[in-house]
Amino acid sequence: MEYFETKLSGETKYHGVIVDVTLDEVALHTGEKTKREVVHHSGGVAVLPVDNDGTAYCVRQFRYPFGKMVLECPAGKLEPGEEPRAAALRELSEETGLECAELIDLGAMYATPGYCTETLHLYLALGLTQKQAHPDVGEYLNVEKYPLRELAERCMRGEIRDGKTNVAVLKAARIWEERNG
């Protein structure tokens, strides 16, 4: 059976730099009414660069909501009107200084579909060339290198907690294994 909800009304409760928050009244498929809080986000990209010997590049940066440094694949939000592929190449260059000869689409994922509209587009970057990183103003991060197989094992053990990184690493590891044995 398909379930659905129909928006009856909505009120913006917060308008921010990165997100807006609305409180919506909806009608359920049964006719009952209820409230939904929605965080509206423009979406983002995450790209896992892997060099010819299977070394993956990640970034470690302080994440304020968790109060600690977090290991992630390079990522960022989509700018208005920006295509995900272009954003992935931009973020790869900004955060790591890397350029790639091949950018493989790993698909899109919903970050937190229970309350947020953010869709993340995931990519695997291959055929890497090192240039100069140029992070955004106020963006401080460390680039770290790990064997892709080790990252996948760390994801499976629950040592890497970032969702987009888990999905990108595990998909990239599968593709790498299929291509390289």
Side-chain angles (χ1 to χ4, degrees):
M1 176 173 198
E2 289 279 326
Y3 300 108
F4 62 90
E5 298 178 6
T6 305
K7 181 178 174 179
L8 301 173
S9 65
E11 180 183 354
T12 299
K13 294 294 188 176
Y14 174 77
H15 177 67
V17 176
I18 297 174
V19 299
D20 293 334
V21 180
T22 61
L23 179 60
D24 297 345
E25 181 178 35
V26 301
L28 305 178
H29 70 282
T30 61
E32 298 169 272
K33 294 179 182 177
T34 191
K35 303 278 188 190
R36 296 286 185 241
E37 296 170 326
V38 182
V39 176
H40 300 271
H41 186 283
S42 62
V45 297
V47 56
L48 183 68
V50 179
D51 67 19
N52 293 337
D53 71 356
T55 299
Y57 295 72
C58 290
V59 295
R60 190 178 299 273
Q61 58 188 321
F62 186 83
R63 290 303 194 180
Y64 178 79
F66 295 99
K68 64 181 178 180
M69 299 286 283
V70 176
L71 186 67
E72 307 172 44
C73 51
K77 69 180 185 71
L78 288 169
E79 299 300 333
E82 187 176 31
E83 292 296 321
R85 186 174 198 81
L89 294 170
R90 176 180 51 75
E91 288 294 337
L92 178 63
S93 174
E94 285 177 3
E95 294 190 1
T96 66
L98 293 168
E99 293 180 357
C100 66
E102 184 179 9
L103 189 64
I104 299 171
D105 188 342
L106 297 176
M109 62 176 274
Y110 298 139
T112 48
Y115 62 86
C116 185
T117 64
E118 182 180 22
T119 297
L120 290 166
H121 303 269
L122 308 177
Y123 295 91
L124 168 61
L126 301 173
L128 305 178
T129 304
Q130 185 68 60
K131 304 285 185 178
Q132 185 66 38
H134 47 99
D136 289 334
V137 174
E139 184 175 44
Y140 301 98
L141 46 84
N142 299 320
V143 177
E144 299 181 9
K145 297 190 270 185
Y146 299 91
L148 180 56
R149 179 169 281 151
E150 178 186 330
L151 278 179
E153 290 168 0
R154 291 180 67 189
C155 287
M156 294 303 294
R157 288 193 304 264
E159 294 172 14
I160 296 175
R161 306 284 301 266
D162 179 59
K164 69 184 176 300
T165 301
N166 272 275
V167 174
V169 165
L170 295 174
K171 285 186 169 190
R174 175 93 181 255
I175 290 170
W176 183 263
E177 193 66 30
E178 287 171 359
R179 284 187 169 196
N180 300 289

